[in-house]
Amino acid sequence: MTDQRSDASAPVVPHDHADPPDGLADGAQYVAGRQLPGSSGRRHTLVDPATGESTHTYELAGTADVDAAVEAARRALPEWAGATPGERSDAMHRLHAVLDGQAAELARAESLNCGKPARLTEEFDVPGSVDNVAFFAGAARRLDGVAAAEYSPDHTSYVRREPLGVIGSIAPWNYPLQMACWKILPAIAAGNTIVLKPSELTPLTSLMFARAAHAAGIPDGVVNIVTGAGADAGEHLVGHPAVAMTSFTGSTAVGRRVAALAAGSAKRTHLELGGKAPFVVFDDADLEAAVHGAVAGALINTGQDCTAATRAYVQRPLYDAFVSGVADLMAGVRLGPPTDAATDIGPLISHAHRDRVAGFVERARAYATVVTGGAAPGGPLAPGAYYLPTLVTGAAQDSEIVQGEVFGPVLTVLPFDADDEGLALANDTPYGLAASVWSRDVYRTSRATREIRAGCVWVNDHIPIISEMPHGGYRASGYGKDMSAYSFDEYTQIKHVMSDNTGEPHKDWHRTVFTLSLIHR
């Protein structure tokens, strides 16, 4: 099919170079309260995705570094698990104060490391992460079980929540600070200790978090960071016999590998995997709100978000106006350097990932229409991993661009007629992480929230998250919850305690095993 507006260029702002923070001066590992170099013998270079320039070089973690971190977490466990909920809460309140005081530095490091616009890190990533700390500092005091009661006439029962032990977590590159918080905070609030492996592409803010934990007086060894490749450091962490539980966020394919490795030792797993969020617009929706919501939901973090709006299904009466409105708004989005306040979206995480996203769009040209975008910008942004906001129409439901996780600033739009069809299309992928529905009719939205199979369904909005509510998916999007008090279900062991209330040595139920005549022999 022919392209429309495929030569459109989004506005750009001139590039501004930023000096890197000194985040890796002592290495990319943080073990037992010390920042250390790795010992794998393999070095890794971080690249600023906005310029293509190298910013840091460090030595990756090897299996020995993982062993040392797990041992540090194991040694720290008795003291931390034995602390009262109030003591853990106090330490986490101090951590909140430290991180809140470092908010500007954290935002700057996240922008440099990931290519995120300053507005995103300063107004979304960092405030959300700091709020997570405040939430779990309070939640640490509320590890509730079932209150004591006599469910059997002769016994009192109650439920304890106990820490699992050493947690081994693996976080992705798209939201490094937020994912570090989502992994670390519920684990340590519940009394566990943790070894976190951030992506080797984006370790800076995870290391800053660990240093902040030390500054807040959280005992050394409670929070440990190992920065290495997934094939050695990551797999060794998942399979480590002293690790009680693995939490992983990343692609569905790698999640299956993590689950298989963890199954070898019957290890508990929590998996937050891929997504392909539908954005369902009924014919009575506020068109302007839906257009703005679709562009914001598709382009947040340059589309590198597993809950991003990726598949818009628009009821036929609004379809043409929706496509036109999205195309116009996308064409005005400003690409530019992350440090510039005028920048709307920054580069993708790397040139390799930019090429992967472009590959989806290029293959789609054979069967669909690229309405706007579909190219890397030239000019001053050419050295970076930038890609124009892209709108695709005319694709079939079973096509790659509709079914595959592109993970970039690409939105596909498809029409539907009856409500039944729209909801069926929304559910027609292997994923089930997030979705949104747009309508003024409360009965329509209520039905949609019941029938769409996803861990989160927004109504007349798309993307907002809050610390008090859980995040996690259905089906190929994984299982288990991040954030909220529900996350404690992942990081605690439930123990039933049952006490006899009678003092009688001879229980009536003993007769099912032996008769009373045997007692006097």
Side-chain angles (χ1 to χ4, degrees):
M1 295 185 177
T2 59
D3 291 356
Q4 302 171 12
R5 311 190 205 185
S6 59
D7 59 345
S9 295
V12 300
V13 292
H15 207 285
D16 174 30
H17 294 277
D19 294 327
D22 192 24
L24 295 178
D26 298 315
Q29 323 307 322
Y30 196 91
V31 177
R34 296 176 60 207
Q35 194 166 333
L36 302 166
S39 63
S40 68
R42 292 182 292 111
R43 299 191 68 77
H44 182 80
T45 298
L46 296 184
V47 175
D48 180 351
T51 65
E53 298 174 356
S54 299
T55 60
H56 295 83
T57 300
Y58 68 92
E59 190 162 356
L60 291 165
T63 56
D65 302 300
V66 173
D67 290 340
V70 171
E71 177 59 20
R74 189 191 64 77
R75 290 196 306 269
L77 182 63
E79 176 188 357
W80 186 248
T84 66
E87 289 169 337
R88 291 196 294 266
S89 175
D90 288 346
M92 294 179 71
H93 277 298
R94 294 194 300 271
L95 174 60
H96 171 264
V98 173
L99 290 170
D100 194 39
Q102 297 175 353
E105 184 182 354
L106 287 163
R108 181 168 166 267
E110 201 82 325
S111 289
L112 173 76
N113 203 180
C114 308
K116 292 172 179 279
R119 290 209 311 271
L120 184 64
T121 59
E122 292 170 1
E123 299 177 24
F124 182 80
D125 292 49
V126 173
S129 299
V130 172
D131 183 70
N132 254 218
V133 184
F135 171 80
F136 279 106
R141 291 179 177 265
R142 292 295 308 273
L143 291 169
D144 296 339
V146 176
E150 287 67 48
Y151 297 97
S152 155
D154 297 335
H155 304 84
T156 296
S157 289
Y158 64 93
V159 169
R160 292 173 53 89
R161 281 188 182 270
E162 298 180 349
L164 296 172
V166 176
I167 308 300
S169 290
I170 300 175
W173 48 257
N174 58 331
Y175 288 102
L177 179 61
Q178 283 196 340
M179 294 298 101
C181 288
W182 289 14
K183 301 300 183 194
I184 294 171
L185 294 171
I188 68 173
N192 303 283
T193 56
I194 189 167
V195 178
L196 173 75
K197 191 199 89 64
S199 168
E200 61 271 30
L201 300 177
T202 54
L204 293 181
T205 48
S206 296
L207 292 166
M208 294 171 71
F209 183 101
R211 292 201 301 263
H214 175 81
I218 292 176
D220 293 343
V222 172
V223 177
N224 305 276
I225 307 294
V226 290
T227 307
D232 44 26
E235 293 202 357
H236 190 63
L237 179 61
V238 173
H240 200 291
V243 169
M245 178 263 195
T246 292
S247 177
F248 170 82
T249 296
S251 72
T252 298
V254 177
R256 292 190 180 105
R257 173 64 177 164
V258 168
L261 289 168
S265 55
K267 197 183 293 338
R268 185 185 294 194
T269 55
H270 162 220
L271 303 177
E272 198 267 89
L273 307 178
K276 191 71 179 176
F279 186 102
V280 182
V281 182
F282 292 106
D283 57 13
D284 66 337
D286 181 324
L287 179 62
E288 182 180 9
V291 166
H292 282 249
V295 174
L299 301 186
I300 186 170
N301 204 32
T302 319
Q304 299 166 126
D305 187 312
C306 50
T307 64
T310 59
R311 300 178 289 137
Y313 297 102
V314 183
Q315 206 152 25
R316 193 83 61 177
L318 294 186
Y319 177 80
D320 289 339
F322 180 88
V323 169
S324 179
V326 168
D328 288 344
L329 191 54
M330 277 189 170
V333 168
R334 295 175 67 89
L335 279 68
T339 53
D340 195 309
T343 293
D344 293 323
I345 66 171
L348 293 160
I349 187 63
S350 67
H351 290 79
H353 186 61
R354 193 257 326 261
D355 293 345
R356 178 185 177 276
V357 170
F360 273 93
V361 177
E362 291 309 306
R363 291 188 295 274
R365 294 184 192 278
Y367 55 79
T369 299
V370 178
V371 177
T372 191
L381 299 184
Y386 291 89
Y387 196 75
L388 293 171
T390 299
L391 176 63
V392 177
T393 62
Q397 174 66 15
D398 62 356
S399 63
E400 180 193 45
I401 199 76
V402 173
Q403 294 291 323
E405 189 175 24
V406 179
F407 222 59
V410 179
L411 176 67
T412 58
V413 184
L414 292 82
F416 71 92
D417 293 303
D419 288 16
D420 288 352
E421 179 190 8
L423 296 177
L425 290 169
N427 284 325
D428 185 26
T429 72
Y431 300 105
L433 187 58
S436 65
V437 294
W438 298 74
S439 171
R440 292 182 172 95
D441 186 331
V442 66
Y443 297 104
R444 260 180 164 171
T445 60
S446 179
R447 178 194 175 189
T449 59
R450 290 194 307 271
E451 295 187 11
I452 291 178
R453 297 193 297 274
C456 175
V457 182
W458 292 286
V459 177
N460 294 324
D461 208 344
H462 194 107
I463 283 297
I465 54 173
I466 50 175
S467 298
E468 291 83 357
M469 289 291 112
H471 174 87
Y474 290 22
R475 301 182 291 162
S477 291
Y479 47 81
K481 297 300 180 184
D482 288 307
M483 298 200 300
S484 82
Y486 291 98
S487 64
F488 286 134
D489 292 342
E490 316 305 326
Y491 295 99
T492 55
Q493 180 67 52
I494 302 299
K495 177 185 287 184
H496 171 215
V497 179
M498 192 174 196
S499 300
D500 172 59
N501 292 333
T502 68
E504 294 292 333
H506 305 145
K507 314 296 186 190
D508 187 59
W509 73 267
H510 293 175
R511 294 168 47 254
T512 64
V513 182
F514 53 83
T515 64
L516 289 176
S517 62
L518 294 176
I519 297 174
H520 304 292
R521 286 187 178 182

